[in-house]
Amino acid sequence: MPATPLPIGSYVTSWRPGPVTEEDRLNPGPVSAVSALLDLPHTVAGTGDALPPLWQWFYFLHWPAQHELGADGHLRDARFLPPIPDRQRMFAGGRCEVSEPLRLGEPTERVSSLSAVTPKQGRTGELLFITERQEFRQSGRLCVVEEQDIVYRSGRGPAGAHPTALDDQATATAEGPWRLSLQPDPTLLFRFSALTANAHRIHYDAPYCRDTEGYPGLVVHGPLLALLMLELVRRNAPERRVRTLSYRLRRPVFAGERILADGAAADGRAGLRIATHREARHATAEVTFACRQD
C-alpha cells in the first residue's frame, strides 16, 4: 500500500524564514516599458513623479540562474517558498496601504518578511496559505505596506472546470461606467513575464499548459489582472490618491479571450472587477481614496 501522505502543516512546523532587506533606485525605465505594454501614448511617470499603485512589482526583481528553476519554470528553492513536496503555487490576492506614493528615481528600501503560515482543508484537499509582507521606505519614511496571499498545495488537485475551447469573439456585459478592454495575446504575456522576471511556463508554453496543467491555453498573469483594475482608477480619477487597495484573484483568464475591466466610484471608494463572457468576476478589487486634504 502507498504511504499515507503527511499533513501539509508538518512540513512547515519549524519553517520561519527571517526578513530580508533589499534596495532599488526605482529607475524610470520599467515605468516606460509598462506604459508601452499598455499602449499608452506617453510614459505615466518620470523621475520624481509618483509611482502608480502596485507598479512596485516591476522593481526589486531577481533573475536566478537557469539551473535553479524547476520543470514549471518556478524557482525550486527560495527564502519564502515553503518546503513542501511537489509544490504547486497559486496567487490568490493581496492588500496595499499607501501612506505616501513612492517616487521614481529615489533610493528605496524594501523589507520582506513572512507574515502568516496557515494550513487549511479546502474542497480539493489540503492547502497552505502564505502571506508575505513587504514594507517600502524612502528617505527613512514608511511609504507603502503590501501583503500578498499565496496558496500552495502538495501535488496536483483535481482539474479545474476550465473551458475546453476558447471564444475570442464573445464579450462581457458591462456593469460600471469605468471601462477598459483588453484581448491579451502571447506577445503581451511574454513581455509582461519579462518585465516581472516571471518564468512560469503557463504564461508562454501552450503545450505545457494543455498537457501538464490542464488549461485550454496560456494563462493571463494574475498580477496583470490586478494592474488592469487599478488602471481604471488611474485613468478615470487621476486627481484622487489611492490610500488602500485590496484585490482577489478568483478564476483564470486565458490568452485570446476578451477581457473587460470595469468599475465605479462612490463615497470615497471604488469597486472594480475583471470579467469575460464566461465569468462576471474573474478578479475583484476595492480601493479607498485619501481625503482631499491629505
Side-chain angles (χ1 to χ4, degrees):
M1 293 179 60
T4 302
L6 293 173
I8 198 169
S10 66
Y11 294 98
V12 293
T13 302
S14 60
W15 179 68
R16 291 296 182 272
V20 61
T21 301
E22 301 161 287
E23 294 184 351
D24 195 309
R25 292 195 63 88
L26 303 193
N27 187 292
V31 169
S32 295
V34 178
S35 300
L37 180 78
L38 297 176
D39 269 333
L40 301 176
H42 307 288
T43 184
V44 304
T47 299
D49 293 333
L51 185 69
L54 298 184
W55 286 41
Q56 65 266 22
W57 290 345
F58 302 105
Y59 294 90
F60 299 92
L61 302 182
H62 294 282
W63 289 94
Q66 193 70 14
H67 71 269
E68 297 178 79
L69 303 180
D72 61 356
H74 270 308
L75 278 167
R76 290 191 183 91
D77 298 295
R79 194 178 196 91
F80 299 116
L81 290 179
I84 60 177
D86 195 17
R87 184 179 55 233
Q88 302 296 319
R89 178 182 185 274
M90 296 162 282
F91 188 17
R95 296 154 299 285
C96 196
E97 182 176 353
V98 184
S99 299
E100 57 181 289
L102 295 170
R103 298 285 170 180
L104 284 182
E106 294 190 16
T108 307
E109 178 187 83
R110 183 182 73 176
V111 179
S112 302
S113 61
L114 197 64
S115 178
V117 180
T118 310
K120 293 185 179 180
Q121 185 67 38
R123 290 178 299 175
T124 59
E126 276 197 299
L127 301 171
L128 186 68
F129 288 75
I130 301 292
T131 299
E132 184 178 337
R133 178 183 174 91
Q134 297 179 342
E135 299 179 352
F136 297 84
R137 290 178 170 82
Q138 289 184 330
S139 301
R141 301 187 305 274
L142 180 61
C143 300
V144 175
V145 176
E146 180 186 358
E147 289 188 335
Q148 294 183 359
D149 299 325
I150 313 295
V151 182
Y152 296 91
R153 71 165 67 251
S154 180
R156 297 191 180 278
H162 306 306
T164 56
L166 299 176
D167 188 334
D168 62 1
Q169 298 298 318
T171 58
T173 300
E175 293 181 359
W178 294 353
R179 299 173 189 176
L180 173 61
S181 298
L182 182 70
Q183 189 172 21
D185 60 14
T187 303
L188 187 147
L189 299 190
F190 169 80
R191 295 178 73 188
F192 191 84
S193 288
L195 286 168
T196 53
N198 184 346
H200 196 183
R201 290 170 66 182
I202 63 172
H203 304 305
Y204 61 86
D205 187 337
Y208 174 85
C209 285
R210 292 191 298 266
D211 301 339
T212 302
E213 299 283 355
Y215 294 123
L218 299 179
V219 180
V220 178
H221 306 69
L224 177 56
L225 301 180
L227 287 165
L228 286 176
M229 290 188 286
L230 268 293
E231 187 67 6
L232 289 169
V233 175
R234 194 191 67 79
R235 296 186 186 191
N236 292 279
E239 76 288 354
R240 303 300 303 273
R241 183 169 72 80
V242 172
R243 183 68 175 85
T244 68
L245 65 94
S246 63
Y247 59 94
R248 183 178 176 188
L249 305 172
R250 301 169 183 269
R251 300 280 293 174
V253 179
F254 303 102
E257 294 189 293
R258 294 179 181 269
I259 296 174
L260 173 67
D262 76 358
D267 301 323
R269 297 175 178 270
L272 315 165
R273 66 159 187 156
I274 295 288
T276 68
H277 71 286
R278 294 189 292 110
E279 298 274 350
R281 282 163 176 76
H282 287 273
T284 55
E286 183 174 288
V287 165
T288 64
F289 297 107
C291 296
R292 297 284 185 176
Q293 63 269 25
D294 286 1

